[in-house]
Amino acid sequence: MLEAIRGIEKAIKGKSFRDYQRSWVLRSAVERGVEVISEASRHLEQKLKTPHKEVRWKDIAGIGNVLRHEYQRVDGQIIWKAVKDDLPPLKEALLEIKSSLEEDE
């Protein structure tokens, strides 16, 4: 998940929503990254997610279904807003989860 987040961050750095809208390659890369994050989030144990109530886990899991099965209805603004607003708290939570798991080893 962290790799996908870093990839999305790198892809959108310095880009505007208009850049995103105009670039099929950028949209496709971001959407694929979001799909990977969505699917991986489903495999995280609930006990790891529970302390991070600031993360919209259910929405993260659900957006993958939209991208995979209703791709013709994908709203670019929703994806853009999600990567701009929802990825930072998710990244922070994942880094905390990773750190706590490494401490347990």
Side-chain angles (χ1 to χ4, degrees), residues 49-92:
K49 296 178 190 178
T50 301
H52 301 280
K53 299 192 184 321
E54 73 282 6
V55 176
R56 297 169 41 189
W57 296 108
K58 189 174 181 176
D59 291 340
I60 291 167
I63 199 167
N65 287 331
V66 173
L67 290 170
R68 283 187 292 278
H69 304 294
E70 299 179 42
Y71 47 86
Q72 71 280 5
R73 292 185 23 206
V74 171
D75 184 332
Q77 287 183 316
I78 291 172
I79 300 298
W80 185 255
K81 183 174 178 357
V83 299
K84 294 300 251 182
D85 297 344
D86 297 327
L87 282 189
L90 174 60
K91 181 179 180 182
E92 187 175 319

